[in-house]
Amino acid sequence: MSTPDAGRPAIAAWAETLTCYTAAAGSWLAYDRSNWWRPFAAGGPYLAIEPVGDRFRFHHHPRPLCHSLGLSLRTAPHWSGAADGILGELARSGRVVVAGDTFSLPWHPGFGRARAPHWFVLSGDPLVADDPLGLTGELGRQQPVRVPVPADGLAGLCAALPPGSPVYELRESAVLGTPDPQVGPAYRWLVQDGVAGAPELPPADRMGGADALTALAAHFAQHAGEPDAYEQADDLWQALRQREFVAKALAEERAAGVPVPDPDAWTEVLGLWRTLPPLLLHARLLARSGRVGRSATALPETLHRLAEAEARCAGERFPEELDTTGGLL
């Protein structure tokens, strides 16, 4: 029988494969199961994009994470309503995902400095916040943390991302599986409604796999040297993280005797993906100074190579048919 914290003690070992979304959703799921990684790895590695104006909506999972887990967004304009909703979900489910803002999170290197969406999990009595994400970014190092939350600090901690960034709104839209992610209300959190969202037909202009990578290559080739061309660099970093995650999930399953593909099949792909973040950073810095360097031309070349390499690994993905709803392995 599943028990609270069944898989959470081990989730920090995955820190360098997580995004803020899989870190929060993983913590939420690991509360009562040890094979928590399966819904996030199923059918992966995966990448699809949809053009939205001059930008793209990036999809890193065959189905939106929240749909897969039966999680739905709730919002409130004031803390009184948010407190009732957040504490009510805590009482009902034992934990709650909060869709927060890096600016308001004391453990995050963006605290008081930069705004970006960042999800975390509240649980326990006394209350704690879990954020198992590990990364080193432009603002510094973030370590996996579990921190106590004083009652008088809860409202500030749960403050949501303000509106104004189309890039962030596209990202939240993809994870939530809705055209309108409701970025704007002062507080946003997720509740377990017990019903996984029904699969929907993808838009006609959605491109997946090699087509997505080829379209991105064309985008960077056409807009080389334009600073705005690189504003979704973090979405490509998330694609790298998803591949790191799937490789670790495959290794975890094989260690448990489950017949899944060999994660070593993805070695070449991972090597190519790992070159993208520094290329994107360098190209963006040069573009801001009005220059185009070798990094800008290397980006589309690398994406074309990735399209070919990922196509060769098409049969080595994490199985979609593994049980993603059960409890302990």
Side-chain angles (χ1 to χ4, degrees), residues 35 102 322:
N35 59 353
T102 56
L322 284 183

Side-chain angles (χ1 to χ4, degrees), residues 95-281:
R95 75 281 201 205
V96 59
V97 177
V98 176
D101 176 6
T102 56
F103 192 88
S104 301
L105 306 179
W107 65 84
H108 194 281
F111 179 56
R113 301 167 62 193
R115 295 193 179 277
H118 197 87
W119 294 11
F120 61 95
V121 173
L122 294 172
S123 67
D125 184 12
L127 197 61
V128 296
D130 277 299
D131 184 0
L133 179 62
L135 63 85
T136 301
E138 294 180 53
L139 296 175
R141 176 69 186 162
Q142 180 181 342
Q143 300 281 7
V145 297
R146 167 176 274 193
V147 296
V149 180
D152 60 359
L154 185 58
L157 196 70
C158 293
L161 181 75
S165 169
V167 169
Y168 293 156
E169 292 182 17
L170 285 171
R171 193 176 302 159
E172 297 268 300
S173 168
V175 176
L176 291 164
T178 175
D180 180 10
Q182 299 183 61
V183 176
Y187 297 95
R188 301 165 71 239
W189 68 98
L190 305 181
V191 300
Q192 184 180 19
D193 57 19
V195 179
E200 298 177 359
L201 289 175
D205 58 355
R206 182 178 296 183
M207 297 167 281
D211 290 341
L213 292 165
T214 301
L216 289 169
H219 166 78
F220 287 117
Q222 180 180 353
H223 299 287
E226 299 176 20
D228 287 350
Y230 309 103
E231 65 179 346
Q232 291 187 274
D234 282 350
D235 293 282
L236 284 165
W237 173 83
Q238 288 197 18
L240 164 61
R241 280 279 166 125
Q242 203 254 357
R243 280 144 183 78
E244 302 272 15
F245 184 94
V246 171
K248 183 168 175 58
L250 289 169
E252 200 80 18
E253 298 287 354
R254 284 173 73 91
V258 181
V260 297
D262 187 343
D264 289 345
W266 293 95
T267 299
E268 179 190 6
V269 168
L270 283 171
L272 288 169
W273 272 102
R274 288 168 183 154
T275 67
L276 284 182
L279 286 176
L280 285 159
L281 175 60

